[in-house]
Amino acid sequence: MTAQEIIDKYINFFEKRGHKRIENSPLVPENDPTTLFTSSGMQPLVPYLLGETHPMGKRLVNLQNSFRAQDIDEVGDNRHTTFFRMLGNWSLGDYFKKEEIPWLWELLTSKTGFGLDKNKLYITIFGGDDKFAILENGKYQPLTPDVESKSIWTTILEKNNLDPSKRIFSYGPKQNWWSRAGTPEEMPIGEIGGPDTEIFYEFTDIIHDKKYGEKCHPNCQCGRFLEIGNSVFIQYKKVGEKTFELLPNKNVDYGGGLERLMSAVENQNDIFQTSFFSSTIKIIEEETGKNYKEHAQKMRIIADHLGGSVFISNANIKPSNKEHGYILRRLLRRSFDNFYALEGKDISPIIHKIVESYKETYSYLEKNFEKIKLTILEEEDNYKKTLQKAKTYIHKKYQEERGEIMGVKKISADDAFILYTTHGLSPTQIKSLGYIFNDQQFAERMKSHQNISRAGATKKFAGGLADHTEKTIMGHTATHLLHKALRDMFGEKLHQAGSNITPERVRFDFSFDRNLTPDELKKIEETVNQKIKENLPVHFEMLPLEKAREIGAIGLFNEKYSDKVKVYSIGNYSKEICGGPHVEKTSKIQKFSIMKQENIGKGIRRIYAKIGA
Ligand code: SER
């Protein structure tokens, strides 16, 4: 089965059961300050899981490009990737466990489905967490084990002559609870989540390695078991340090990696050897003149990291030292390191092969091939220069300042740390320049540095969308008003080129060839505030794409799977194609104040504004 066939089978299965396919959301989310990348299909659906009505209904299905930077160090084994494509289905307060679980079993095992060998499937369920309680009808209930899922699975397995006591495993919140932030403990107030049930595939040809524990089990890390799907029963919102309350709806959020499902379908215990990845591995073998069997780890890193980089570059991100650009830089430099370590010279054919491998299932890459390639090759060039600069820095410091001869390549941990922080080189990269330093001292410096960054990251999550949904939504509606005001003043050639909204401020980019004068800025601000005062109602309709165009809705008309699009109107003032969510009435925004404008180059201006009283 090709990747396309797997996708079609999955989507058709759920479409037949009343689901509507929703489009793939951008890999770099526009208005979600809590995260750099879309890392699961549920992420763009958070407002709907919280209770808002989704225009396409209560049953949704899709294929979502996803990237998980946190898995970067896991890549190299038989199953981890940073970039993957997630097959997902959702019930927004419609069906629940007793439909979801049997459907999955049917899809995975039936002849018309994926036809997986039942004897190789294992199930995990949530075993409860007595540190947490659910507030229900004014009373606290303990967060108990998921007996309902267990009973549904037991019936299914028994019907199939499989022994449930040997196939259903119960785990705590670390394994069988899902939220964007992790376990109940790790979730910020306001975040949603719930218990999950996961399906594992057993590769009987992998012998359990006792270094991972005496006995093998689905969540053992030896590689014998592969998680191929996860149904999260999103029904709770964290409201206190140890408490949750019920969401308006009981939702289902299923996600499963396409690449992993393919591994199971092909009974191939190495994701990178499935028919999807094998052509990329083959070209890496050719370009390095080395054998995959002997260099699997390095080649997996090259294949995964370059693949992720291709998708991130496709989203118009450029390597840099900040946020998305930093992740891209890290991925690229790690793939270069591994490629050079295998004596590879020209990385272009690999980029080409990766783009080609997505030709059938994601053709946008092919259209942007030249741009993607340029981004990657420029970074390769930059990286080479950085390495050279790092050498010069050390050389100067040791030879000129201390009179040491650079034949001795031992450097202090402090200097190694400077190469890490200011030149952006990892310890391995520093060593590859021929330098030795005290690893332990370096690790200590690193630890205190990481504690500082982690504190920053936690703060970012806590200050993000989950906590301030309303403010972010107000900002979103304000961008529509701003967009319309700008177009009315400067003509319809002006269009939005991006936006980013946090509870603290609205950032809006648009195409325009000069700075706005203070007078113009003032007028724009006044117009937006006038529309806020008029208290215009905001509503949406689902319209055929053509109709949306006809009525003059502003919007980008690409990457839409459905023929119908959601058009948001603000009174009779603005009409824009947009996924939402928005405030119901403009008066909710209260006030709009422009803070500054910037010229960010290439004919794009940026406005920063504050909203709220
Ligand atoms: N949100 C869950 C996950 O990412 C299931 O879609 O695993």
Side-chain angles (χ1 to χ4, degrees):
M1 236 182 272
T2 63
Q4 186 61 52
E5 282 162 351
I6 292 183
I7 297 167
D8 289 346
K9 212 175 249 292
Y10 178 85
I11 302 279
N12 288 342
F13 182 91
F14 283 99
E15 278 181 342
K16 272 201 192 127
R17 284 155 186 81
H19 292 63
K20 293 276 180 287
R21 182 171 184 167
I22 51 171
E23 67 196 73
N24 170 55
S25 287
L27 193 58
V28 175
E30 287 221 309
N31 295 318
D32 184 349
T34 59
T35 177
L36 292 179
F37 296 99
T38 302
S39 62
S40 63
M42 66 76 82
Q43 210 172 285
L45 294 175
V46 171
Y48 310 104
L49 292 162
L50 277 161
E52 179 163 332
T53 309
H54 194 285
M56 305 283 279
K58 293 180 175 176
R59 298 183 178 199
L60 309 173
V61 61
N62 94 337
L63 173 70
Q64 177 61 48
N65 292 337
S66 309
F67 179 80
R68 293 190 175 172
Q70 65 271 32
D71 285 347
I72 200 164
D73 293 322
E74 315 269 354
V75 179
D77 64 11
N78 66 337
R79 60 197 183 284
H80 280 97
T81 58
T82 51
F83 175 81
F84 63 101
R85 289 183 294 166
M86 188 183 262
L87 295 159
N89 63 270
W90 293 271
S91 158
L92 301 171
D94 188 352
Y95 61 85
F96 207 47
K97 298 175 186 177
K98 68 179 191 330
E99 291 84 6
E100 167 73 4
I101 295 175
W103 279 345
L104 278 182
W105 180 262
E106 181 187 341
L107 175 64
L108 291 175
T109 59
S110 69
K111 288 234 157 46
T112 51
F114 294 114
L116 298 183
D117 180 353
K118 296 171 189 175
N119 293 299
K120 296 193 168 173
L121 296 180
Y122 289 77
I123 309 302
T124 67
I125 52 157
F126 180 58
D129 185 352
D130 54 19
K131 292 192 294 305
F132 285 85
I134 314 291
L135 186 58
E136 213 176 330
N137 302 327
K139 277 200 204 129
Y140 286 102
Q141 316 283 351
L143 189 49
T144 48
D146 185 0
V147 285
E148 194 185 347
S149 294
K150 186 172 181 180
S151 131
I152 297 167
W153 278 120
T154 301
T155 311
I156 293 174
L157 295 175
E158 279 173 349
K159 251 197 218 153
N160 285 275
N161 296 323
L162 297 167
D163 181 355
S165 71
K166 298 211 166 74
R167 288 200 179 253
I168 304 177
F169 289 74
S170 161
Y171 293 90
K174 232 182 147 94
Q175 306 292 354
N176 281 87
W177 175 275
W178 200 90
S179 80
R180 293 180 298 172
T183 59
E185 213 104 58
E186 291 160 334
M187 291 165 72
I189 306 285
E191 183 60 7
I192 56 172
D196 71 29
T197 176
E198 302 181 4
I199 304 180
F200 286 75
Y201 184 86
E202 184 185 25
F203 293 108
T204 45
D205 50 344
I206 292 191
I207 308 297
H208 171 65
D209 182 344
K210 288 211 169 161
K211 90 171 185 232
Y212 296 99
E214 197 42 39
K215 266 194 156 176
C216 198
H217 58 102
N219 275 306
C220 170
Q221 295 302 304
C222 74
R224 188 174 164 100
F225 287 95
L226 178 74
E227 182 206 327
I228 54 170
N230 176 16
S231 296
V232 190
F233 302 111
I234 298 191
Q235 48 191 322
Y236 303 122
K237 179 160 129 179
K238 192 160 169 179
V239 287
E241 213 188 308
K242 296 283 173 213
T243 45
F244 286 95
E245 69 177 23
L246 295 177
L247 285 169
N249 291 323
K250 285 181 167 183
N251 307 296
V252 176
D253 157 36
Y254 170 85
L258 167 65
E259 300 75 4
R260 288 184 170 202
L261 181 55
M262 187 170 232
S263 253
V265 168
E266 295 182 2
N267 193 31
Q268 166 54 262
N269 66 40
D270 180 351
I271 280 192
F272 294 93
Q273 287 293 283
T274 57
S275 52
F276 185 75
F277 274 118
S278 57
S279 59
T280 303
I281 294 294
K282 197 149 175 276
I283 193 113
I284 298 174
E285 283 184 311
E286 275 167 35
E287 290 304 314
T288 57
K290 303 272 186 310
N291 193 304
Y292 177 68
K293 274 211 178 96
E294 285 155 32
H295 302 281
Q297 193 191 15
K298 287 195 167 60
M299 292 196 186
R300 288 166 178 166
I301 294 176
I302 300 170
D304 170 72
H305 287 14
L306 264 189
S309 302
V310 160
F311 274 87
I312 297 174
S313 307
N314 181 55
N316 290 324
I317 302 293
K318 297 270 180 263
S320 74
N321 294 329
K322 255 178 46 188
E323 305 201 323
H324 310 89
Y326 170 71
I327 302 288
L328 176 57
R329 171 158 285 169
R330 207 166 143 213
L331 283 175
L332 280 172
R333 292 187 174 189
R334 269 189 109 203
S335 40
F336 299 147
D337 288 339
N338 284 280
F339 187 57
Y340 303 150
L342 295 176
E343 292 168 3
K345 300 255 166 339
D346 183 5
I347 210 145
S348 311
I350 308 175
I351 309 170
H352 194 250
K353 185 51 90 187
I354 291 172
V355 168
E356 201 183 276
S357 66
Y358 286 97
K359 198 159 112 186
E360 215 191 337
T361 50
Y362 196 72
S363 54
Y364 304 97
L365 291 183
E366 217 184 9
K367 283 190 206 134
N368 294 333
F369 172 63
E370 287 305 327
K371 186 185 79 183
I372 295 169
K373 187 169 143 187
L374 191 69
T375 302
I376 297 178
L377 295 185
E378 271 177 9
E379 177 60 9
E380 189 181 23
D381 207 39
N382 274 334
Y383 185 39
K384 285 182 176 156
K385 284 185 189 140
T386 302
L387 291 175
Q388 196 48 50
K389 272 192 202 147
K391 275 196 213 162
T392 312
Y393 168 79
I394 294 289
H395 192 80
K396 267 199 167 154
K397 184 156 185 183
Y398 283 68
Q399 206 167 28
E400 288 174 9
E401 287 179 16
R402 304 185 187 178
E404 283 177 31
I405 302 180
M406 255 342 272
V408 186
K409 297 227 178 162
K410 193 157 170 28
I411 60 172
S412 71
D414 279 351
D415 283 326
F417 201 69
I418 289 176
L419 295 188
Y420 170 72
T421 47
T422 50
H423 294 77
L425 300 179
S426 70
T428 323
Q429 287 162 347
I430 300 167
K431 284 179 188 164
S432 76
L433 292 175
Y435 299 132
I436 350 172
F437 49 87
N438 185 317
D439 285 313
Q440 206 186 328
Q441 279 173 11
F442 184 90
E444 277 160 21
R445 298 289 314 257
M446 187 86 155
K447 212 167 155 195
S448 57
H449 179 77
Q450 274 170 346
N451 283 342
I452 298 168
S453 347
R454 214 168 284 136
T458 319
K459 233 163 99 199
K460 180 165 184 179
F461 198 100
L465 193 64
D467 242 358
H468 300 269
T469 315
E470 242 181 293
K471 198 95 190 264
T472 317
I473 294 174
M474 283 155 64
H476 191 186
T477 310
T479 62
H480 281 220
L481 295 175
L482 173 62
H483 196 182
K484 174 70 173 153
L486 286 165
R487 281 166 72 103
D488 280 354
M489 188 178 254
F490 299 112
E492 307 223 320
K493 260 173 102 184
L494 181 152
H495 60 85
Q496 177 171 356
S499 76
N500 179 284
I501 301 162
T502 70
E504 287 77 33
R505 53 108 185 106
V506 169
R507 196 179 83 193
F508 185 82
D509 298 344
F510 56 100
S511 58
F512 200 53
D513 56 5
R514 62 168 173 84
N515 274 341
L516 273 60
T517 65
D519 256 8
E520 286 167 342
L521 282 173
K522 200 161 164 255
K523 269 208 189 107
I524 293 286
E525 191 181 87
E526 276 167 11
T527 311
V528 173
N529 279 313
Q530 175 58 33
K531 296 298 160 191
I532 292 173
K533 244 205 220 131
E534 285 171 21
N535 196 16
L536 302 173
V538 183
H539 67 267
F540 68 79
E541 335 170 59
M542 295 301 296
L543 295 174
L545 203 60
E546 268 318 304
K547 179 87 186 155
R549 223 177 256 158
E550 235 173 79
I551 62 163
I554 317 171
L556 294 173
F557 292 84
N558 58 9
E559 239 194 79
K560 303 277 179 216
Y561 283 110
S562 47
D563 327 327
K564 285 196 169 175
V565 290
K566 193 176 186 183
V567 177
Y568 268 94
S569 306
I570 308 184
N572 284 328
Y573 182 59
S574 125
K575 280 191 173 34
E576 198 164 323
I577 296 181
C578 168
H582 285 282
V583 297
E584 283 153 28
K585 298 214 158 179
T586 53
S587 64
K588 261 205 132 175
I589 306 169
Q590 297 167 358
K591 197 172 164 214
F592 176 83
S593 332
I594 295 182
M595 299 188 294
K596 62 172 176 178
Q597 72 167 325
E598 272 175 5
N599 175 7
I600 58 165
K602 301 208 168 108
I604 307 289
R605 311 279 138 175
R606 174 169 284 179
I607 282 182
Y608 285 94
K610 266 207 311 230
I611 45 150

